Amino acid sequence: MHTNSIIELNPYAYQKNIDFLKKTFGKKVKISSVVKGNAYGHGIPEFVTMAYRFGINHFSVFDVEEAKLVHATLENKVTVLVMGLVQDEDMEWVIKNNIEFFVFDKTRLNKAIKVAKKLLTKALIHIEIETGMNRTGFDNNELNHLIKSLKKEKEHLVFKGLCTHYAGAESIANYYRVDKQIKRFEEAYQHFCKNDLKPEIKHTACSAASMMFPQTRMDMVRIGIMQYGLWPSTEVLVHFLNAKKIKTDPLNRVITWKSKIMSLKNVAIGNFIGYGTSFLAEQKMKIAIVPIGYSHGYSRSLSNQGRVLIHGQRCVVVGTVNMNMIIIDVTNIDHLKKNDEVVLIGTQNNLTISVASFSDFSNQLNYELLTQISKTIPRKIIE
């Protein structure tokens, strides 16, 4: 077990986020908690356990490995939806366990039908439509053949949902592209309905689309980054604040990442610190060694500019971020000792290192930073 650091999850912050989202979307819109990428670094088993406590019973994942983690944690108490990879060899497990999944090409549709027939049951499928993202989904010219297949094999398929994904709803620069996608999706939906095929639900919105384009909320929204207390982009936050005429961010960060001082050292003036010559001590310095590095998800691009909190003060990373260690300038902090707390993400004595601050220093997206945090770091729900 990794003992270098710990990830703490705040259930009260999460509850506030969910309450805000439910109020924003209304009672008729279901929230699917997106927990791909190890629940955006929060840890799937721990995070879904916490989310379930606050009434979340629908989870969306990328692949079967993630689906198995959710299923193992919450068993049949929740719905699990695979939005991405289902290997052929996993299709039987998926259908046997009533896991729902995206179908976006003929190959997957045929495999689902074949396995469902073998198991004498029905596959629970969501048909993904290509509306302009140009990634996955059935094109318009494939819809008539698809409709015939769905009707022919209705004894082996449940048409649970019709869905798509938007190409950058977090940026106003993509407004016209996303607007076209919304119209194309509605046309496809009407085409299915005219052919006596109606999905149980329609769902297209991620966090960004749900806030920037309210009409995309439909029957269900697939919410990732916002449930963790972060916005898809500054644009989305500003759009919301302006629309509501408020100045306070309603979201609360769920994650805290903590470590401890491993060692303390004095460095004489004129010496380089760490690998190479990227940092020269221009005065007598005191440094703290923290056992976290790029192998744990603390990006090498934070060399000489990352920030941490120690004794309630904001301290700078000096030298190159190592595979397993970072070096912190603690020259101006007295009474330090080994094992003193170091906050990498979170709050200490009313100062905060936010996830967004990492992007300020490293060009990393919130999503990128969070999903790169090592899975070997223990996660716990604080009470």
Side-chain angles (χ1 to χ4, degrees), residues 48-177:
V48 300
T49 298
M50 180 180 68
Y52 181 69
R53 280 172 46 187
F54 296 109
I56 299 298
N57 59 12
H58 195 291
F59 295 93
S60 292
V61 299
F62 175 73
D63 57 22
V64 175
E65 177 190 0
E66 294 173 340
K68 286 181 176 179
L69 276 173
V70 179
H71 188 263
T73 304
L74 297 173
E75 299 177 331
N76 296 316
K77 294 182 284 188
V78 299
T79 299
V80 182
L81 172 61
V82 179
M83 302 182 292
L85 182 65
V86 180
Q87 301 279 22
D88 285 353
E89 57 267 28
D90 291 323
M91 185 64 77
E92 189 164 321
W93 180 88
V94 165
I95 294 176
K96 270 185 178 179
N97 288 281
N98 294 317
I99 305 297
E100 301 180 12
F101 57 100
F102 279 25
V103 170
F104 40 69
D105 59 32
K106 296 175 186 176
T107 304
R108 178 170 292 185
L109 179 63
N110 292 336
K111 183 65 178 180
I113 293 167
K114 183 178 178 181
V115 174
K117 284 181 178 178
K118 175 187 172 184
L119 297 175
L120 302 177
T121 188
K122 293 185 177 184
L124 309 178
I125 65 170
H126 293 244
I127 297 296
E128 183 180 10
I129 301 300
E130 173 58 73
T131 56
M133 175 79 169
N134 290 310
R135 188 173 66 178
T136 53
F138 287 97
D139 292 322
N140 273 345
N141 59 12
E142 298 177 289
L143 294 188
N144 288 333
H145 182 269
L146 172 61
I147 287 169
K148 288 179 183 177
S149 296
L150 293 177
K151 285 185 172 182
K152 179 182 176 183
E153 304 295 346
K154 62 183 179 179
E155 297 301 316
H156 304 288
L157 300 170
V158 178
F159 190 9
K160 295 292 292 186
L162 188 70
C163 55
T164 195
H165 188 67
Y166 297 116
E170 71 281 354
S171 174
I172 195 68
N174 298 318
Y175 175 84
Y176 290 107
R177 185 178 177 189

Side-chain angles (χ1 to χ4, degrees), residues 297-344:
Y298 198 90
S299 175
R300 199 167 183 269
S301 61
L302 291 165
S303 299
N304 290 308
Q305 55 185 350
R307 303 289 192 273
V308 302
L309 299 176
I310 301 175
H311 282 213
Q313 296 188 44
R314 204 178 302 274
C315 305
V316 182
V317 174
V318 293
T320 303
V321 173
N322 300 179
M323 182 183 291
N324 302 102
M325 288 182 282
I326 53 176
I327 303 168
I328 311 298
D329 179 3
V330 290
T331 305
N332 298 319
I333 302 180
D334 297 324
H335 310 301
L336 280 176
K337 60 185 183 300
K338 182 180 175 182
N339 291 326
D340 280 355
E341 180 183 83
V342 179
V343 174
L344 305 162

Side-chain angles (χ1 to χ4, degrees), residues 4-5 9 16 43 79 167 173 199 227 237 246 271 274 286 347 355 376:
N4 298 20
S5 66
L9 308 182
K16 288 179 181 178
T79 299
Q227 66 175 328
L237 171 59
I246 58 175
N271 284 304
K286 180 169 58 179
T347 300
V355 177
T376 65

Side-chain angles (χ1 to χ4, degrees), residues 6-10 13 42 228-230 252-259 298 307-315 341-358 361 369-370 373 382:
I6 190 166
I7 299 288
E8 295 177 346
L9 308 182
N10 186 332
H42 291 64
Y228 303 104
L230 301 160
N252 297 268
R253 313 305 179 252
V254 173
I255 194 170
T256 295
W257 186 9
K258 295 178 178 178
S259 187
Y298 198 90
R307 303 289 192 273
V308 302
L309 299 176
I310 301 175
H311 282 213
Q313 296 188 44
R314 204 178 302 274
C315 305
E341 180 183 83
V342 179
V343 174
L344 305 162
I345 299 174
T347 300
Q348 187 187 69
N349 290 16
N350 297 319
L351 278 180
T352 297
I353 298 287
S354 67
V355 177
S357 69
F358 280 77
F361 296 121
L369 165 71
L370 289 170
I373 298 175
I382 60 171

Side-chain angles (χ1 to χ4, degrees), residues 131-326:
T131 56
M133 175 79 169
N134 290 310
R135 188 173 66 178
T136 53
F138 287 97
D139 292 322
N140 273 345
N141 59 12
E142 298 177 289
L143 294 188
N144 288 333
H145 182 269
L146 172 61
I147 287 169
K148 288 179 183 177
S149 296
L150 293 177
K151 285 185 172 182
K152 179 182 176 183
E153 304 295 346
K154 62 183 179 179
E155 297 301 316
H156 304 288
L157 300 170
V158 178
F159 190 9
K160 295 292 292 186
L162 188 70
C163 55
T164 195
H165 188 67
Y166 297 116
E170 71 281 354
S171 174
I172 195 68
N174 298 318
Y175 175 84
Y176 290 107
R177 185 178 177 189
V178 172
D179 188 57
K180 284 182 180 179
Q181 286 188 270
I182 295 169
K183 292 172 182 173
R184 287 171 183 164
F185 180 82
E186 183 59 28
E187 289 169 1
Y189 172 71
Q190 292 300 332
H191 188 57
F192 277 91
C193 291
K194 287 175 184 176
N195 282 275
D196 299 318
L197 270 178
K198 189 174 182 180
E200 292 184 16
I201 62 171
K202 297 187 293 179
H203 57 99
T204 65
C206 57
S207 291
S210 72
M211 302 305 292
M212 300 291 277
F213 301 87
Q215 68 269 40
T216 66
R217 294 169 187 169
M218 302 179 188
D219 301 306
M220 184 174 80
V221 288
R222 308 184 301 260
I223 301 298
I225 197 73
M226 287 185 68
Q227 66 175 328
Y228 303 104
L230 301 160
W231 290 84
S233 69
T234 304
E235 278 187 54
V236 179
L237 171 59
V238 171
H239 173 84
F240 172 80
L241 295 177
N242 286 338
K244 298 296 182 181
K245 295 181 171 55
I246 58 175
K247 296 181 180 180
T248 305
D249 182 354
L251 296 181
N252 297 268
R253 313 305 179 252
V254 173
I255 194 170
T256 295
W257 186 9
K258 295 178 178 178
S259 187
K260 294 179 179 180
I261 293 175
M262 183 177 76
S263 178
L264 291 160
K265 188 178 186 69
N266 293 312
V267 179
I269 188 170
N271 284 304
F272 291 107
I273 294 177
Y275 286 118
T277 57
S278 70
F279 189 89
L280 176 69
E282 297 180 350
Q283 61 179 346
K284 290 181 180 179
M285 292 181 65
K286 180 169 58 179
I287 58 173
I289 315 305
V290 181
I292 285 296
Y294 57 78
S295 70
H296 308 105
Y298 198 90
S299 175
R300 199 167 183 269
S301 61
L302 291 165
S303 299
N304 290 308
Q305 55 185 350
R307 303 289 192 273
V308 302
L309 299 176
I310 301 175
H311 282 213
Q313 296 188 44
R314 204 178 302 274
C315 305
V316 182
V317 174
V318 293
T320 303
V321 173
N322 300 179
M323 182 183 291
N324 302 102
M325 288 182 282
I326 53 176

